[in-house]
Amino acid sequence: MLSRLIAFSLSQRLLVGILSLALLAAGGMALRDLPIDAFPDVSTTQVKIILKAPGMTPAEVEARIVAPIEQELLGIPSQVMLRSQSKYAIADITLDFADGTDIYWARQQVSERLSGVMGDLPAGLSGGLAPITTPLGEMFMFKVDGEASLAERRKLLDTVIRPRLRGIPGVADVNTLGGMVQTFEVVPDVAELAARKVSLQQLQDALANNNRNDGAGRLSSGEESLLVRSDGSIRNLEDVRAIAVVQRNGEAVRVGDVATVQLGALTRYGSVTQDGKGEAVEGLVLGLRGANAQKLVRDVKAKIAELEPTLPQGVKIVPFYDRGNLVERAVSTVTKALGEAIVLVLVLLLLFLGNLRAALVVALILPLSALATFVLMQQWGLSANLMSLGGLAIAIGMLVDAAVVVVENIEARQAEPGISRLHSLYRATQEVATPVSAGVVVIMIVFLPLLTLQGLEGKLFGPVALTIVFALGASLVLSLTVIPVLASLALRSGHHAAPWLVRKLEAGYAPLLEAALRHSKVVVAVSLVALAGAVALFPLIGKSFMPSLDEGDIIMQVEKLPSIHLAQSVSTDLALQRRILETVPEVKSIVARVGSDELGLDPMGLNETDSFLVLQPREQWRFKTKEELIDAIRQAGEAIPGVNLSFTQPIEMRTSEMLSGVRGDLAVKIFGANAQELNRLAGEVVQLLQALPGSEDVITAQNGGVQYYRIDIDRQAAGRLGMAVDQIQNDLRALVEGQKVGVVMQEGRRVPLVVRGSEDLRVSPQQFAQLRLPTPDGQAVALSQLARLEVTDGPVKIEREQSSRMSVVRANVRGRDLVGFVADAQAAVAQKVKLPPGYSITWGGQFENQQRAAARLGLVVPVALALIVGVLFATLGSLRQAILVFANIPLALVGGVAALAVSGEYLSVPASVGFIALMGIAVLNGLVMVTCFNQLSAHGMPIQDVVRQGALRRLRPVLMTASITALGLIPLLLATGPGSEIQRPLAIVVIGGLVSSTLLTLVLLPILYRRFSAPQRTLAP
């Protein structure tokens, strides 16, 4: 089949040329249309339910909302995880589905189950399914700055900016945070209500029933009809005051008689602060799942530029996070490495081939293979990102392997007399077609295990494997079709002298080979010792899941006392910001969010703050590394009492939350029923982890210590006054939290109409205890006469996973490998933490990913190796020779292990990918060498001459493939931009392994072939 393909290409050169031009056009269009992002979409199919229950405590949210919903949601097909958080006034439920589950089908299933249980939930809930975004959907963050008040800026964001941005294709939603949401506020006067015998419920009913426009039909007016419209909606504060509540003694009791009507603001569950100066208003653009990040950010910027001239004087939109910048930096990191690698490859081709025409013919395989890869990426639905383009950069050196062998053999056979030039080209290409095809197929096979990886690692390295397979497959086809055609047009016939570099290398290699053949036992012994040393060294290398990606941004997470109120939390954040900006000049600006956001996608408590640190350019830093900068920020924060600091990055934080519901390298989850016992066990685990070397930012949520003001209603006392428990609770919620009773339309804007008690009620518990509630008979009774009031402790939040309560300890690891740290932590916890019956501990986070990846690779890599042996056997026709070539693999890994140990890198998933690539390259070189030996042996040449002449004849292609692959990875090794942390371990392993692999191929393989190869039968030339 390969012979017919080569013959067809050489006989139809015009057609091959036309198809090559078509490939150029198709590849160019595919590259133009490929979506561009910083990273692959690593999110799972995830559905979130956000329900708001104003005034409810975490315990009530769990018992009355979360638990019934969880029971209904259990058992949905393809569901793999169910997590929930019950916080003050918010229920946050997250469902993860198996990879490949259609997001719309998953949302439909959840929506159907949710609608089935909504009737049993408390009245007054709002919310539902969260927008179709992903945890990595935060694309663009901005502030609305200016001289306007917080309320005016928030109004501008809600009514002007947000609707315009939501209309952009690819935008899932625009989250609005900070500022004041204006309301029409009705503040009841309890004394006036009692004097006029009006209940709070009657006031709320009157407001709800007197705020509507409606139609009544048509009237005839001559030849025309009139549409009847009754106008009864509220337009201003006077309309509210004029509403009649009840009728007493022939007179209407109006809202204005029993309440103060004013403009107010919704109860706030969070705030945004900036630069230690005060509060701010923030917008957060969320991208749809699968949206093109670069195009989305570009469209958002264009829309903001269009909006700014229409904003009030002095108000401006100031971006402080732009995913597009990260996309550009990440893609430029890998494209720069790609460009540098191509230059290095061209230089090496010229040095080894000594012929500019031949070098250019081989080099043309690079753009053609890349363009073919872009076409296949588009068909496969891949985006151009750090990982997929990184796969192309990794493969650059390997893409020319097949073309190098073909062109090198064409040059070697051009001087043969007596045959036509095209036939000479055919024979030269056909001679190496089988070993080259087998070698490239072997390399493609060794990358197939990456396609079986699951979870985060599968989503990250699946695109790498697919891109490499696409590129190698394209390069193989092009090497057997386009390259011979180009060679027939560009290369001159006649004998070509070996280049200077090759002559020098052959002069140095010949005596080395002779010495090795004479002292074969010494060479074998040294090889075995090196292999044994690598085996002994391997367990000493630290193991980790993934190097931390430097996104260029820092998120500082601040945790305060659980009982803190919003005003004090804001004050603490501002003091911390001022301290950091004064002492760490590398931080240019700080935007911080405390508490819950508007949509409830990230429901933090009032004691939790996420601070986004905008940094100065690296050239202005006093520190060499980001870790040193973080240490300086942490030291500055120590001056502020009562805060715990931890540090992460935007995408890293959301990825950790998505995987385990926790932010951090390590998540220790303790399951049990009693909240106090869970808190105690979590405290013990924290102390143990903090004592271990390498631990950093070890934190468990301070889940106890929130002050609850418990109102224990006396049923008999309430009954004597004709009051029901439900009525008392509703009145209290309306007076303290506020109760929404309608909406006022103002210039197309929906303004909530709220009944809420006066601010005096919320000043102190003593004032609240004296609150007088109206009774049905027109009296007013003090709350202290209806209930027993006491201050108790309660939880900040209640976390559940798979319907079981849990407490979580999170930790980051620095300065040592993750797996070793977790092993020490597990031993310490098992020894010193005694779990009561019914309690259990699981270890998650990045550690869980590492264990899953290691287990999967341990299963599928042996299968891939068996497939390699099968391909070698099919190619060589000899099991002995297949094993002989296969023996290159363990010996090639020696250099990779040594390189990891010397560089101090850990054995991570990227390093494992490097070892996988190394196996394929080692097999390719061994196969090229053994095939040449077999061809010489088939002509009856003595075995001694076979290994000498064969090794010298294949010196150039072996050195070319190895050095081109190694030097092609040098730019990745030296890169410093975002994503270089992932590529570096891979480059280290491959470069180190190629040194040992090439040396062993050139020195040890001839010895092994001479000793173990079976006599070959004579084959036709």
Side-chain angles (χ1 to χ4, degrees):
M1 185 178 75
L2 294 177
S3 299
R4 287 198 295 271
L5 177 64
I6 298 165
F8 175 81
S9 301
L10 288 171
S11 62
Q12 303 292 333
R13 289 183 290 176
L14 179 60
L15 177 61
V16 171
I18 294 172
L19 292 176
S20 300
L21 292 175
L23 175 61
L24 289 173
M29 289 189 292
L31 179 60
R32 181 194 62 193
D33 298 335
L34 273 180
I36 300 174
D37 205 342
F39 309 105
D41 185 3
V42 298
S43 59
T44 57
T45 301
Q46 191 174 85
V47 180
K48 284 181 77 73
I49 300 172
I50 308 291
L51 294 173
K52 297 184 179 180
M56 277 198 185
T57 64
E60 291 301 314
V61 170
E62 179 197 34
R64 301 179 63 187
I65 300 174
V66 170
I69 293 177
E70 284 185 342
Q71 291 302 312
E72 192 72 18
L73 294 177
L74 287 172
I76 295 179
S78 301
Q79 182 190 140
V80 295
M81 180 58 69
L82 175 61
R83 290 194 296 267
S84 68
Q85 289 188 18
S86 304
K87 292 192 172 184
Y88 174 72
I90 292 180
D92 178 0
I93 302 171
T94 303
L95 295 94
D96 285 342
F97 289 84
D99 289 340
T101 305
D102 180 71
I103 182 64
Y104 296 100
W105 178 88
R107 289 174 66 87
Q108 179 187 359
Q109 297 299 311
V110 173
S111 181
E112 289 175 0
R113 298 287 185 101
L114 183 61
S115 62
V117 76
M118 284 298 286
D120 300 329
L121 301 181
L125 292 181
S126 63
L129 298 188
I132 308 179
T133 184
T134 70
L136 310 184
E138 297 177 349
M139 298 290 184
F140 193 82
M141 303 181 194
F142 60 90
K143 301 177 293 180
V144 181
D145 283 351
E147 300 173 359
S149 67
L150 284 171
E152 290 170 341
R153 280 183 276 158
R154 177 60 185 261
K155 174 183 173 182
L156 193 65
L157 177 59
D158 286 336
T159 60
V160 178
I161 301 171
R162 182 172 183 249
R164 299 290 293 275
L165 295 182
R166 285 192 72 183
I168 297 173
V171 171
D173 210 331
V174 179
N175 210 347
T176 54
L177 308 98
M180 308 284 185
V181 179
Q182 192 181 73
T183 63
F184 276 33
E185 190 171 85
V186 178
V187 183
D189 185 328
V190 178
E192 287 293 336
L193 288 173
R196 298 172 188 266
K197 298 185 178 181
V198 177
S199 71
L200 202 56
Q201 187 61 50
Q202 287 176 311
L203 174 63
Q204 294 179 53
D205 291 343
L207 291 167
N209 295 332
N210 287 273
N211 182 25
R212 193 181 71 168
N213 294 339
D214 205 353
R218 288 190 178 94
L219 297 178
S220 296
S221 176
E223 295 180 355
E224 297 179 347
S225 65
L226 299 176
L227 301 180
V228 181
R229 177 176 183 263
S230 59
D231 190 352
S233 64
I234 295 170
R235 292 182 294 272
N236 52 47
L237 296 178
E238 283 304 319
D239 286 349
V240 180
R241 295 188 183 102
I243 292 174
V245 182
V246 295
Q247 182 265 342
R248 292 285 184 264
N249 301 323
E251 293 185 6
V253 178
R254 299 175 306 126
V255 171
D257 298 330
V258 294
T260 301
V261 181
Q262 62 191 20
L263 292 177
L266 283 180
T267 301
R268 298 201 299 167
Y269 295 97
S271 175
V272 176
T273 55
Q274 64 172 338
D275 298 338
K277 298 175 181 177
E279 295 194 38
V281 174
E282 176 189 342
L284 170 57
V285 179
L286 300 170
L288 275 172
R289 182 186 181 92
N292 185 336
Q294 192 176 56
K295 182 178 183 301
L296 176 59
V297 170
R298 188 168 58 244
D299 292 347
V300 168
K301 287 179 177 178
K303 184 63 70 175
I304 287 176
E306 180 185 314
L307 274 172
E308 282 192 314
T310 68
L311 299 178
Q313 186 71 27
V315 176
K316 57 184 179 179
I317 298 172
V318 181
F320 64 90
Y321 176 71
D322 179 353
R323 176 72 68 81
N325 291 336
L326 178 61
V327 171
E328 290 172 6
R329 295 201 312 272
V331 173
S332 67
T333 297
V334 71
T335 52
K336 180 185 174 187
L338 204 53
E340 293 170 350
I342 290 173
V343 172
L344 287 172
V345 168
L346 286 172
V347 171
L348 278 175
L349 287 173
L350 190 57
L351 289 174
F352 273 103
L353 295 174
N355 182 336
L356 181 60
R357 290 169 177 259
L360 289 176
V361 168
V362 174
L364 282 173
I365 201 74
L366 295 175
L368 290 173
S369 298
L371 290 171
T373 303
F374 294 142
V375 173
L376 292 170
M377 286 172 63
Q378 186 183 45
Q379 295 301 312
W380 218 262
L382 298 179
S383 66
N385 54 61
L386 175 72
M387 302 307 292
S388 59
L389 294 179
L392 198 55
I394 292 164
I396 278 294
M398 293 181 276
L399 292 184
V400 299
D401 286 352
V404 160
V405 175
V406 169
V407 171
E408 193 270 343
N409 207 47
I410 286 174
E411 282 213 307
R413 297 291 295 264
Q414 286 226 37
E416 291 185 5
I419 57 175
S420 69
R421 186 156 185 271
L422 280 182
H423 188 60
S424 175
L425 283 167
Y426 165 75
R427 289 184 60 177
T429 307
Q430 188 267 341
E431 187 178 88
V432 295
T434 298
V436 161
S437 300
V440 173
V441 168
V442 164
I443 297 178
M444 293 167 69
I445 287 174
V446 298
F447 281 101
L448 293 181
L450 297 183
L451 298 177
T452 69
L453 291 175
Q454 301 167 308
L456 173 65
E457 62 276 13
K459 295 182 177 70
L460 278 176
F461 287 96
V464 174
L466 281 174
T467 307
I468 292 175
V469 169
F470 292 159
L472 287 173
S475 74
L476 177 60
V477 173
L478 292 168
S479 296
L480 299 179
T481 55
V482 176
I483 294 300
V485 171
L486 291 174
S488 71
L489 300 173
L491 299 185
R492 295 172 180 170
S493 58
H495 179 73
H496 295 276
W500 176 86
L501 178 62
V502 175
R503 293 199 303 272
K504 292 296 183 184
L505 290 172
E506 287 177 348
Y509 175 56
L512 175 64
L513 178 62
E514 287 295 332
L517 291 172
R518 284 197 306 270
H519 305 91
S520 57
K521 293 182 178 178
V522 175
V523 173
V524 172
V526 170
S527 302
L528 292 176
V529 168
L531 180 60
V535 170
L537 186 61
F538 186 77
L540 305 178
I541 296 175
K543 296 173 183 63
S544 179
F545 173 61
M546 196 87 68
S548 180
L549 265 168
D550 183 5
E551 300 172 29
D553 302 303
I554 296 176
I555 297 285
M556 178 177 68
Q557 298 170 303
V558 186
E559 189 165 1
K560 290 150 278 192
L561 292 174
S563 56
I564 198 169
H565 60 75
L566 181 59
Q568 182 58 46
S569 188
V570 167
S571 176
T572 303
D573 287 339
L574 291 172
L576 179 60
Q577 292 165 21
R578 286 191 293 270
R579 174 68 180 170
I580 291 172
L581 291 171
E582 289 168 2
T583 58
V584 187
E586 287 80 5
V587 179
K588 180 166 62 175
S589 179
I590 302 175
V591 181
R593 176 171 63 81
V594 59
S596 176
D597 59 310
E598 188 71 12
L599 294 178
L601 293 177
D602 190 14
M604 299 187 298
L606 298 181
N607 66 321
E608 297 173 306
T609 302
D610 280 349
S611 302
F612 192 98
L613 276 55
V614 182
L615 305 178
Q616 299 282 6
R618 286 256 182 174
E619 302 79 47
Q620 301 179 25
W621 288 16
R622 298 167 296 165
F623 309 104
K624 293 182 179 179
T625 65
K626 192 174 178 182
E627 287 72 23
E628 293 177 3
L629 174 59
I630 289 175
D631 288 339
I633 297 170
R634 182 181 281 111
Q635 187 174 357
E638 290 174 355
I640 307 299
V643 298
N644 287 327
L645 303 182
S646 59
F647 295 86
T648 182
Q649 303 174 101
I651 293 178
E652 182 182 6
M653 175 178 71
R654 297 303 179 201
T655 303
S656 298
E657 286 182 337
M658 175 191 70
L659 294 172
S660 60
V662 182
R663 308 168 177 183
D665 293 339
L666 175 63
V668 185
K669 298 180 180 179
I670 308 166
F671 293 90
N674 185 277
Q676 292 182 343
E677 185 66 19
L678 288 173
N679 291 340
R680 183 188 68 80
L681 293 170
E684 291 183 10
V685 173
V686 166
Q687 291 180 353
L688 289 174
L689 294 187
Q690 286 176 336
L692 293 176
S695 65
E696 185 177 65
D697 302 334
V698 182
I699 294 176
T700 185
Q702 299 184 34
N703 205 27
V706 172
Q707 300 292 293
Y708 282 57
Y709 198 51
R710 185 168 178 268
I711 302 169
D712 189 3
I713 298 173
D714 186 335
R715 298 177 184 274
Q716 291 187 354
R720 285 194 297 269
L721 294 170
M723 301 178 73
V725 170
D726 187 59
Q727 177 193 343
I728 295 172
Q729 290 175 334
N730 288 338
D731 288 354
L732 288 174
R733 182 179 296 119
L735 291 171
V736 180
E737 172 74 18
Q739 190 80 35
K740 182 179 174 182
V741 292
V743 172
V744 178
M745 298 300 297
Q746 281 198 328
E747 300 174 352
R749 182 168 61 96
R750 298 170 64 86
V751 181
L753 175 61
V754 175
V755 174
R756 194 178 184 207
S758 67
E759 194 62 38
D760 295 341
L761 288 175
R762 293 177 286 277
V763 170
S764 71
Q766 292 76 23
Q767 291 271 52
F768 178 74
Q770 298 308 311
L771 169 66
R772 300 183 70 80
L773 297 177
T775 63
D777 61 358
Q779 303 298 314
V781 59
L783 179 60
S784 56
Q785 295 178 2
L786 288 172
R788 186 174 72 254
L789 309 177
E790 59 180 349
V791 177
T792 61
D793 284 344
V796 179
K797 62 180 178 181
I798 299 173
E799 294 182 293
R800 294 160 64 95
E801 191 171 283
Q802 301 295 70
S803 297
S804 296
R805 279 189 177 185
M806 69 172 181
S807 182
V808 181
V809 177
R810 70 175 191 261
N812 292 324
V813 180
R814 181 171 167 186
R816 65 176 297 189
D817 68 296
L818 178 61
V819 175
F821 176 85
V822 174
D824 291 347
Q826 288 176 327
V829 169
Q831 182 180 359
K832 298 182 179 178
V833 177
K834 305 302 179 186
L835 295 178
Y839 287 72
S840 61
I841 291 181
T842 63
W843 301 76
Q846 299 281 35
F847 167 75
E848 184 179 9
N849 303 329
Q850 190 275 336
Q851 295 290 289
R852 182 179 60 242
R856 177 52 63 107
L857 288 176
L859 179 67
V860 297
V861 168
V863 175
L865 294 177
L867 286 174
I868 291 172
V869 173
V871 171
L872 293 175
F873 176 70
T875 304
L876 298 171
S878 165
L879 182 59
R880 182 183 297 183
Q881 289 193 354
I883 295 173
L884 187 67
V885 174
F886 186 81
N888 267 16
I889 290 179
L891 295 171
L893 302 184
V894 170
V897 172
L900 269 186
V902 171
S903 65
E905 290 282 350
Y906 298 136
L907 178 64
S908 56
V909 175
S912 301
V913 174
F915 280 114
I916 287 172
L918 194 56
M919 291 190 295
I921 298 166
V923 168
L924 174 62
N925 281 340
L927 189 59
V928 168
M929 184 79 78
V930 169
T931 304
C932 183
F933 290 161
N934 287 343
Q935 289 170 351
L936 294 176
S937 180
H939 287 85
M941 188 178 290
I943 191 66
Q944 287 291 121
D945 295 336
V946 164
V947 293
R948 286 189 179 91
Q949 291 190 28
L952 283 169
R953 186 176 293 184
R954 285 292 174 254
L955 174 65
R956 180 163 67 169
V958 167
L959 286 178
M960 283 179 72
T961 55
S963 58
I964 286 173
T965 302
L967 283 182
L969 291 173
I970 290 290
L972 290 179
L973 182 65
L974 302 178
T976 57
S980 59
E981 303 87 356
I982 287 184
Q983 313 289 2
R984 190 175 298 115
L986 186 151
I988 288 172
V989 169
V990 174
I991 293 171
L994 280 174
V995 173
S996 65
S997 169
T998 306
L999 188 62
L1000 292 168
T1001 299
L1002 294 174
V1003 175
L1004 183 62
L1005 191 57
I1007 295 173
L1008 296 177
Y1009 185 89
R1010 185 182 63 178
R1011 172 66 180 83
F1012 295 107
S1013 177
Q1016 301 295 305
R1017 282 182 249 171
T1018 301
L1019 301 175

